[in-house]
Structures are given as structure tokens and as C-alpha cells.
Amino acid sequence: SGINAEYGDPRVHEHEFEALGPGADGKITGTQAKVPMQESKLPSSTLKRIWNLGDIDKDGKLDVREFAIIKRLIDLKLDGHELPVTVPKAWMESLDFEEARR
């Protein structure tokens, strides 16, 4: 665990993501993401920061990889760690984001 831990397989979150009912674009909206995020009981200001970090392409929606990042950030915060300023590159690479290869 901890900030530098390699991000695990996004498939661990796939079932939960699919249950939220992603649209034809394979993404969930902020409204859909709100429920699992609020279940963390973190303050809304923290959840807003987590959303802004996790919505990598800033389209206001989450694909399964972005959802995995958000879940990881919530876990990090619940474990007592500070949120990173940006999503660690290792997480991006392990989730195969094009952005990580720039």
C-alpha cells in the first residue's frame, strides 16, 4: 500500500463499474459515480479533489480505468495518506493510459 504501490488490476473494479451502468461510450457520469464515492464518507471537498484527479481526460465522465484510479485515491485517503498533486505515473502506466506515454 502507500502512494508508490503499483496500481492493481483495474478488473477488480470492473464488476462494480459495470453495475453502475456505463453508457454506450463505456463511461459513467458524475451522478453515477457519486454513490460509490459518497459511500467512503469522505468530505465532499475531498471527493471533488479526487474526482478532478481521477477524471484524466477532463470530460466529466469516468471510464473503467479512471474509476479504478478514483477508487484507489479514496482508499489512499481512508488509509490516512495525503492525496497526490497528480496521479502517479506508475498508476497511469499500469492502467495503460496514452497520457502516461507522452
Side-chain angles (χ1 to χ4, degrees):
S1 74
I3 189 78
N4 295 317
E6 189 66 18
Y7 187 75
D9 193 328
R11 283 178 295 209
V12 298
H13 298 295
E14 215 165 272
H15 184 73
E16 184 180 1
F17 181 80
E18 291 299 330
L20 293 168
D25 58 358
K27 297 187 173 201
I28 58 168
T29 63
T31 309
Q32 288 170 298
K34 212 176 202 162
V35 177
M37 289 180 75
Q38 286 176 337
E39 280 171 0
S40 68
K41 305 279 191 277
L42 290 169
S44 57
S45 57
T46 302
L47 292 176
K48 194 174 169 66
R49 280 182 59 207
I50 288 173
W51 173 274
N52 289 335
L53 279 168
D55 183 13
I56 305 288
D57 58 8
K58 306 295 177 225
D59 66 350
K61 295 179 175 183
L62 303 176
D63 66 17
V64 70
R65 299 168 311 165
E66 290 170 322
F67 182 70
I69 284 176
I70 278 183
K71 295 293 285 190
R72 178 69 191 276
L73 290 167
I74 287 171
D75 288 345
L76 201 63
K77 198 70 186 138
L78 291 173
D79 284 344
H81 299 281
E82 280 307 304
L83 289 174
V85 179
T86 57
V87 173
K89 203 168 168 136
W91 295 12
M92 301 274 282
E93 284 168 353
S94 67
L95 291 168
D96 203 32
F97 276 98
E98 290 75 27
E99 289 84 351
R101 290 196 283 273
R102 283 186 193 148

